[in-house]
Amino acid sequence: MNIFKKVLPLKNFPRHLRLLTYAIFLAILSSCVSQHEVEYLRDNDKRITTFYEAEIQDYRLKPDDELYVQINSLDEAAANVFSGSGNQQSTTLTSGISPYGASLLSYSVNKKGFMLMPFIGNIYVKDKTVSQVAEILKDSLSSILNQPIVSVKLVNRYISILGEVRNPGHFPYAQEKLTIYDALGLAGDITEYGNRSEVILARNEDGKNMRIVLNLTKPNILASNYYYMRPNDIVYVKPLKKKFWGFREFPFQIILTTISTALLIYTVVKK
């Protein structure tokens, strides 16, 4: 209480007014977020620290995945049969077509894990990587096309970011490697009231939904198996408890103005 008496010298005012003022002042202090709480990768050691990257397993295809397939060959006319509109499709995709538009140009993996291709038929692609699918298609086309070149890309790369971020939502991405920090950047970063030491990652692996707690304030996150995002990951940023005492939710400013006015009136009347 001594610190309050030094900061708020109210000894000449009634006891109940002093206690109320001290209580409001304490609430304001408790609602403040320190610089330490909004920092990432905290470390007292200022030297360069190296973390070896965790092994990243290639994404395995699942039912309802969508694949963009580009097929080129010395026989361009024949290759266009597989690529729809041929070079136009490729140019459109690389020039910034939306993910939803790209899905219209893609091949879907059905519930049984097959993908239907023109002239080839059904190809089982479940649990295979996109590079393995490209090799399968290349082998299948060798008897049809002259020196086929096959490129396969996963179209449905999405992540959801919820909670205490500036712009929560469902975001598409094209990178092969997207870190947790990249993902948060898509959502405008965590707000000052977000808990950076307890970020929840929800991920489905082998038919099981996993809940992983990530501490983004620790440098060793750089070597974590969960540093890189996977398609359909969900990131939830928990709020700090201080948020519920913050200025955005509670009208401290109005209360302080009211108290100041009351004290001023009391001083005038007392005189």
Side-chain angles (χ1 to χ4, degrees):
M1 190 65 70
N2 290 333
I3 186 174
F4 294 131
K5 290 180 179 179
K6 293 179 180 179
V7 178
L8 301 173
L10 305 174
K11 62 181 180 180
N12 295 326
F13 294 98
R15 186 171 182 273
H16 63 279
L17 283 178
R18 281 183 287 158
L19 292 177
L20 179 60
T21 305
Y22 292 148
I24 296 295
F25 186 69
L26 180 62
I28 293 174
L29 288 179
S30 65
S31 70
C32 294
V33 178
S34 66
Q35 178 181 343
H36 184 73
E37 290 175 301
V38 297
E39 290 180 350
Y40 295 108
L41 305 173
R42 300 176 201 151
D43 196 348
N44 294 327
D45 190 352
K46 304 300 181 182
R47 297 172 299 178
I48 296 176
T49 306
T50 301
F51 294 90
Y52 291 98
E53 186 177 61
E55 183 179 353
I56 306 173
Q57 296 182 350
D58 291 332
Y59 179 77
R60 301 283 173 173
L61 296 174
K62 303 174 184 177
D64 298 324
D65 276 344
E66 297 176 350
L67 299 175
Y68 167 73
V69 180
Q70 181 180 356
I71 299 173
N72 294 311
S73 170
L74 295 179
D75 186 356
E76 183 177 348
N80 287 345
V81 173
F82 297 92
S83 297
S85 56
N87 293 334
Q88 182 180 356
Q89 181 186 23
S90 175
T91 303
T92 304
L93 190 68
T94 56
S95 63
I97 189 172
S98 70
Y100 297 102
S103 65
L104 299 176
L105 305 174
S106 63
Y107 296 93
S108 299
V109 181
N110 65 24
K111 298 296 183 182
K112 295 183 179 180
F114 288 91
M115 180 179 69
L116 179 61
M117 289 289 296
F119 299 100
I120 299 177
N122 281 318
I123 299 175
Y124 189 74
V125 297
K126 182 181 177 182
D127 295 328
K128 291 182 169 51
T129 65
V130 291
S131 58
Q132 289 174 334
V133 173
E135 285 298 321
I136 293 173
L137 291 175
K138 182 179 178 180
D139 292 340
S140 301
L141 293 169
S142 296
S143 58
I144 303 175
L145 299 177
N146 185 9
Q147 298 183 19
I149 300 174
V150 181
S151 176
V152 179
K153 300 291 182 181
L154 181 65
V155 170
N156 57 314
R157 293 181 185 269
Y158 298 96
I159 52 171
S160 297
I161 306 175
L162 308 172
E164 200 59 33
V165 293
R166 302 190 189 283
N167 299 301
H170 189 58
F171 301 94
Y173 68 98
Q175 303 96 304
E176 292 292 333
K177 292 183 178 182
L178 184 82
T179 71
I180 179 65
Y181 296 107
D182 292 330
L184 292 172
L186 294 175
D189 199 9
I190 299 176
T191 69
E192 63 271 22
Y193 285 102
N195 190 345
R196 289 158 173 76
S197 61
E198 199 172 348
V199 174
I200 308 300
L201 171 64
R203 174 177 292 177
N204 183 284
E205 284 190 357
D206 301 324
K208 299 178 181 179
N209 290 320
M210 302 172 59
R211 179 185 182 275
I212 304 109
V213 180
L214 303 177
N215 188 342
L216 303 185
T217 68
K218 299 295 184 181
N220 57 10
I221 186 68
L222 299 174
S224 169
N225 291 326
Y226 305 106
Y227 180 58
Y228 289 101
M229 298 290 94
R230 292 192 170 214
N232 303 315
D233 276 353
I234 299 173
V235 177
Y236 170 64
V237 180
K238 297 178 65 175
L240 291 169
K241 293 181 180 179
K242 293 182 179 182
K243 177 181 179 180
F244 300 100
W245 297 97
F247 281 95
R248 293 184 300 177
E249 284 73 29
F250 196 78
F252 285 116
Q253 197 169 12
I254 297 175
I255 293 176
L256 285 174
T257 302
T258 303
I259 292 175
S260 299
T261 304
L263 292 175
L264 178 62
I265 293 174
Y266 176 81
T267 303
V268 173
V269 172
K270 190 74 174 177
K271 291 180 178 180

